[in-house]
Amino acid sequence: MQLLLRRADLHRHEKNWQAALLDYEKVATTQPENQRMLLGRAQLYLDQNSYGAAAEWSARLLELHADHANALVIQARAQSGLGNFRSAVRFYDRAIKNIDNPAPEHYLEHARAILQIPDENAGSEAVSKAFAEAIAIIDSGAQRLDNPVSLHSFALEQELQSAKPTAALKRIDRLVSLNLRLFSWHLKKAELLISLNRLNEACLA
């Protein structure tokens, strides 16, 4: 059975979808609760952007193992793909708590899902709340993962788009203090100060 599952996973990685699905189905006939089969099938559907099926199969695994980190991530991504962003956020919350070594992308996806919650009719309070929650997620990830540039870059972009120059300047100063890509952050700080017409400060940045 392990050889069959290994072959199914190889087919999936090579995007031989039908061959992978046939192997997973063979496993399911005798071991319908095999966790590797359920996870592989859920990932297969997610890889195909079949979000409804991915949500269904990851949910089957979560019924057996409620804290299965990979199944939680697939479920979160599937819910995002379906446009169910509140549900996605809940699953990202659970996933990150259960992943031993999360990647920056988990925090980025979590934050993006939060930012998608307010619709076009949402008021400024809802938008501000989503922004604050998303930045808090990014900052918690930065602290846990030793300040990956990708997380700070995302937060900085959001702060600039949301017209929060003070927060953006504080983040740049923090990045400079951490010696992360020094020249590019000094340049970004100078550009931001120029846009604020703070020319003397820009010259010193």
Side-chain angles (χ1 to χ4, degrees), residues 74-92:
I74 292 174
Q75 184 67 223
R77 290 171 174 167
Q79 293 299 326
S80 287
L82 292 168
N84 301 328
F85 297 110
R86 290 185 186 279
S87 179
V89 167
R90 289 194 293 270
F91 281 108
Y92 278 120

Side-chain angles (χ1 to χ4, degrees), residues 17-185:
W17 310 124
Q18 194 58 38
L21 186 57
L22 287 173
D23 282 344
Y24 287 134
E25 288 177 343
K26 289 176 184 176
V27 175
T29 58
T30 57
Q31 298 182 8
E33 294 186 350
N34 183 290
Q35 292 189 20
R36 183 171 171 181
M37 179 274 295
L38 293 170
L39 183 67
R41 195 160 182 174
Q43 185 63 59
L44 180 148
Y45 288 123
L46 185 67
D47 291 343
Q48 293 180 295
N49 297 329
S50 298
Y51 300 117
E56 176 188 345
W57 284 90
S58 56
R60 294 189 188 192
L61 178 49
L62 290 171
E63 288 176 2
L64 302 172
H65 186 352
D67 294 328
H68 195 294
N70 289 334
L72 288 166
V73 170
I74 292 174
Q75 184 67 223
R77 290 171 174 167
Q79 293 299 326
S80 287
L82 292 168
N84 301 328
F85 297 110
R86 290 185 186 279
S87 179
V89 167
R90 289 194 293 270
F91 281 108
Y92 278 120
D93 281 335
R94 291 171 56 192
I96 288 173
K97 290 176 183 176
N98 285 282
I99 298 174
D100 291 331
N101 297 298
E105 66 189 49
H106 294 124
Y107 289 93
L108 290 170
E109 292 171 10
H110 192 180
R112 290 188 183 107
I114 292 172
L115 292 171
Q116 290 291 331
I117 290 176
D119 60 26
E120 59 186 16
N121 297 317
S124 59
E125 184 177 346
V127 173
S128 295
K129 180 182 177 182
F131 171 83
E133 291 177 358
I135 294 299
I137 289 295
I138 292 297
D139 285 339
S140 68
Q143 182 177 8
R144 182 175 178 181
L145 303 181
D146 196 23
N147 295 296
V149 171
S150 60
L151 293 184
H152 285 296
S153 295
F154 176 85
L156 180 60
E157 179 184 351
Q158 296 304 315
E159 287 162 347
L160 291 172
Q161 289 180 359
S162 300
K164 298 185 182 297
T166 301
L169 286 169
K170 287 182 179 179
R171 187 171 300 276
I172 292 172
D173 285 339
R174 180 182 174 191
L175 290 166
V176 169
S177 72
L178 294 169
N179 293 319
L180 298 175
R181 284 169 36 184
L182 277 175
F183 176 76
S184 62
W185 297 125

